Amino acid sequence: MDYSGRQSRLAALLREQGLDSVLVTHVPNIRYLCGFTGSAGVLAISAAGKARKAAFFTDGRYTQQASEEVDGAKVVISKTAAIVGAVEWLKRQSKLKSVGVEAEHMSVATRASLGKYAGSIRLQPTSGLIEGLRAVKEKAEIEQIRSAVELASRVFEAVRTNIRPGAQESAIAAEIEYMSRRLGAEGMSFDTLVAAGKRSALPHGVASQNPLPKRGFVILDFGVILGGYCSDMTRTVYLGQPSRAERKMYESVLEAQLAGIKAVTPGAKCAEVDRATRNVLEKAGLGRYFTHSTGHGVGIEIHEMPGIRKAAKPTKGKKRMAARARKSAGAQFDTLVPGMVITIEPGVYIPGEGGVRIEDMVVVTETGCEVLTPTPKEMIVI
Ligand code: ZN
Ligand code: ZN
């Protein structure tokens, strides 16, 4: 992975924002910028002047791991708290005036205690700086994600035979997670969702101890982590004989999903892609049962930028805030660009009856998009 390239893109972004350094505390961002896969540490990057310098601070538990993994930063095993070591190091760099801190990833307590150490350096909250860089994937990242997606598809094929009336939702989830590990996954992207029958109307139905019914939809939503990158897929199968209305419901969600994929092209607004899936379901009279957004970015984390959702309408009083938000790095990602990896996952959930969701991962290409998920989407009736 191109850590040096990532750090220099970040340095350019810092200068744009009038910052000359940054304290990176969010672990996925640390991994992205220097390759460290452990769970504790702070990365300090100074971009003052022409020379960029980076130092990674962690504790004694990670001495060997950090020396093996960290690329593009000096490793310091800190005797004090890593963040204090990082601030002290920044203070020793010449001409530093302002340090960006990750507002979403720093506790109020840490921010308060840092004030004591910062001296004359101004601590400036930033939002989505590195997350914005991460939204557009490099080739090697896309290939890593592709491997994770393909592994999950193999898992789905392998566990399909376990889906039958009477089997517990939690047992199906266990099979999915066991098979994922057997096939080499490092872990799951999130708690596996298995929701059957009336529970399939829960968009976020975590597997319960309920047995699968004789008749009804079963939503399976899961993802694996491979090489540090997440996958995410949903398929909905039907147990027993579906009614005409249920078949129609499935076909409508599939049609919406295909319309969403068709709308994914460089330059398209995320809100337009969301509109494309919503239009189909509204026409089918199911619009009000589609209660979440169309999709999200996926990468080192399961939910990344961009969000494939309706554009936020700023109200009058919030105009200034919205303008400021647009200036922040993340907000410019309301438009698709090649290299973004997103999900397209419309769903319909009818309370007391059941639900359907179909989710694939796609990568935005120069000319449109490529669907990464190889699993077929025709209705599976068991
Ligand atoms: Zn999912
Ligand atoms: Zn998803």
Side-chain angles (χ1 to χ4, degrees):
M1 300 286 180
D2 180 20
Y3 301 115
S4 157
R6 293 171 184 177
Q7 286 185 24
S8 67
R9 285 196 291 281
L10 174 62
L13 212 54
L14 290 175
R15 286 185 202 112
E16 259 176 55
Q17 305 228 339
L19 295 165
D20 48 32
S21 58
V22 66
L23 276 174
V24 187
T25 48
H26 187 44
V27 169
N29 286 343
I30 293 172
R31 178 179 190 141
Y32 180 76
L33 291 166
C34 74
F36 179 69
T37 67
S39 57
V42 177
L43 178 66
I45 298 178
S46 148
K50 282 210 174 87
R52 189 187 72 236
K53 279 193 195 168
F56 175 67
F57 296 80
T58 188
D59 60 75
R61 291 173 298 168
Y62 294 108
T63 307
Q64 190 187 342
Q65 188 181 343
S67 75
E68 283 168 8
E69 290 179 343
V70 173
D71 190 352
K74 177 174 105 162
V75 174
V76 183
I77 304 301
S78 200
K79 289 197 179 65
T80 56
I83 190 127
V84 173
V87 172
E88 298 288 355
W89 179 82
L90 281 173
K91 269 163 57 183
R92 289 197 299 275
Q93 309 307 306
S94 62
K95 293 187 213 138
L96 277 196
K97 291 194 188 74
S98 54
V99 182
V101 294
E102 298 182 282
E104 278 101 358
H105 308 292
M106 180 171 281
S107 72
V108 175
T110 302
R111 170 66 185 81
S113 69
L114 271 192
K116 285 193 294 224
Y117 299 99
S120 63
I121 302 178
R122 188 166 49 90
L123 295 170
Q124 177 78 33
T126 68
S127 175
L129 267 185
I130 301 153
E131 285 83 351
L133 294 176
R134 281 169 48 196
V136 181
K137 272 71 181 174
E138 297 150 13
K139 232 175 169 174
E141 293 183 285
I142 293 169
E143 289 319 307
Q144 194 58 64
I145 292 170
R146 187 192 301 279
S147 302
V149 168
E150 287 173 355
L151 192 155
S153 286
R154 294 211 304 280
V155 170
F156 181 74
E157 257 334 289
V159 303
R160 255 180 65 170
T161 49
N162 296 290
I163 305 169
R164 54 175 180 270
Q168 271 182 335
E169 288 176 354
S170 56
I172 308 288
E175 288 295 335
I176 288 173
E177 296 183 359
Y178 174 72
M179 194 51 76
S180 298
R181 294 289 266 186
R182 278 295 299 265
L183 294 179
E186 294 150 27
M188 306 308 290
S189 307
F190 53 90
D191 284 343
T192 299
L193 307 183
V194 178
K198 282 180 185 161
R199 290 192 79 250
S200 63
L202 303 170
H204 210 256
V206 175
S208 74
Q209 291 183 6
N210 286 7
L212 305 194
K214 284 199 177 68
R215 209 164 157 269
F217 286 113
V218 185
I219 294 182
L220 304 111
D221 185 352
F222 68 100
V224 302
I225 305 172
L226 190 62
Y229 284 80
C230 294
S231 75
D232 191 3
M233 74 178 279
T234 307
R235 287 296 181 269
T236 303
V237 305
Y238 197 90
L239 294 174
Q241 213 39 53
S243 68
R244 191 184 293 192
E246 285 167 327
R247 211 173 259 283
K248 168 102 187 343
M249 182 169 151
Y250 187 92
E251 293 306 328
S252 299
V253 173
L254 179 53
E255 196 190 320
Q257 208 258 353
L258 294 173
I261 290 171
K262 210 169 156 208
V264 175
T265 184
K269 295 266 181 233
C270 296
E272 290 166 11
V273 177
D274 183 80
R275 180 84 331 256
T277 62
R278 230 165 272 284
N279 276 348
V280 173
L281 292 172
E282 279 168 11
K283 261 188 217 144
L286 296 167
R288 71 195 152 110
Y289 300 119
F290 177 19
T291 47
H292 53 74
S293 58
T294 290
H296 53 90
V298 181
I300 295 174
E301 290 179 279
I302 185 61
H303 289 117
E304 295 195 352
M305 284 198 254
I308 311 300
R309 61 170 88 94
K310 292 178 199 170
K313 280 189 206 121
T315 57
K316 226 177 174 186
K318 288 183 181 161
K319 254 190 185 157
R320 224 173 50 177
M321 245 170 76
R324 207 182 307 148
R326 264 197 299 279
K327 267 194 180 164
S328 85
Q332 62 186 296
F333 290 93
D334 58 353
T335 305
L336 296 177
V337 300
M340 284 180 169
V341 175
I342 58 171
T343 68
I344 299 293
E345 51 175 308
V348 162
Y349 313 91
I350 304 181
E353 292 187 28
V356 175
R357 178 166 67 256
I358 303 170
E359 174 180 31
D360 283 338
M361 279 174 62
V362 306
V363 54
V364 184
T365 62
E366 295 292 337
T367 53
C369 75
E370 183 199 349
V371 178
L372 295 174
T373 314
T375 307
K377 290 181 277 201
E378 293 82 46
M379 191 169 184
I380 300 170
V381 176
I382 295 171

